[in-house]
Amino acid sequence: MTTKPKNGLQRGSTGYAINFFRSDILVNLQLDLKRLEKSGIDDEICAKIRELLSALVSAASAEPKGSFWGRAVHEVLREYETTYRKWNDVRGSDPDAIRRRDNLLKELQDVRHKIANCCRVNSHSLSEAHDLQLVTAINDALRDAIAAVPGTFTALTRSAERFSQRALGI
């Protein structure tokens, strides 16, 4: 006998994919950023992360007006992208630069929590969502960013593999 998930989101649904995105993908992206920050992140990798976030914002903005994603998450996702850009613009390894990056990484975590809260509050709408185009766009953006800099995003790579299996059934 199979049991229904607590949040009402069935594996393979758009809602499940968005929930997985906020609870697994963004968490693992931040883990990789924290790890990479210590050794420095070169401009090519930073550009790929910006491309990934821009692709996700574009996918969200392409959603039909009035949809859950467009209404509840799009602006918060744009805030995540903007905060990442601020984090990325901090240069240097002096104590002040490290402190500013740490503070901005905490802001990224706060924005991720906003996305999580939007998902929780709108879980019913998410469970009704059936737009696989959005899920495919998220998956494609992840794969492109990871393939562009192989071996860089270790936690995100594992998360993207789980996303493909669980959200798309690939």
Side-chain angles (χ1 to χ4, degrees):
M1 172 185 241
T2 56
T3 59
K4 213 172 183 176
K6 287 182 190 178
N7 59 11
L9 303 177
Q10 297 296 324
R11 216 179 243 208
S13 71
T14 303
Y16 180 89
I18 293 169
N19 195 49
F20 190 92
F21 169 77
R22 66 98 188 152
S23 66
D24 199 81
I25 290 171
L26 288 180
V27 169
N28 285 296
L29 173 60
Q30 285 179 227
L31 287 173
D32 280 339
L33 290 177
K34 187 66 176 168
R35 179 184 51 80
L36 291 167
E37 175 189 37
K38 291 177 182 162
S39 60
I41 304 175
D42 68 31
D43 289 337
E44 178 188 5
I45 295 170
C46 291
K48 293 303 172 188
I49 297 169
R50 284 192 305 272
E51 286 174 26
L52 167 65
L53 294 174
S54 291
L56 296 173
V57 170
S58 294
S61 65
E63 281 295 285
K65 294 218 182 291
S67 74
F68 161 78
W69 185 259
R71 185 179 66 250
V73 176
H74 177 258
E75 289 304 316
V76 183
L77 190 55
R78 184 168 300 285
E79 183 182 350
Y80 190 91
E81 178 189 26
T82 302
T83 306
Y84 170 76
R85 287 179 187 271
K86 288 178 190 173
W87 178 87
N88 187 50
D89 288 342
V90 176
R91 300 280 182 220
S93 57
D94 59 281
D96 185 51
I98 292 170
R99 181 188 51 75
R100 287 186 316 200
R101 274 194 301 273
D102 279 346
N103 288 339
L104 286 165
L105 206 54
K106 288 175 187 162
E107 281 185 42
L108 278 175
Q109 187 171 359
D110 291 343
V111 175
R112 187 186 65 76
H113 287 298
K114 286 182 187 178
I115 294 170
N117 288 336
C118 285
C119 290
R120 279 198 255 339
V121 167
N122 293 285
S123 63
H124 178 71
S125 299
L126 280 172
S127 66
E128 300 299 318
H130 300 291
D131 187 0
L132 277 181
Q133 185 176 3
L134 171 64
V135 178
T136 303
I138 292 171
N139 190 59
D140 291 347
L142 283 169
R143 288 189 177 280
D144 290 347
I146 291 166
V149 283
T152 302
F153 302 111
T154 54
L156 185 61
T157 299
R158 289 188 303 272
S159 182
E161 289 167 1
R162 287 189 301 270
F163 182 79
S164 291
Q165 292 168 354
R166 295 176 185 173
L168 291 174
I170 295 176

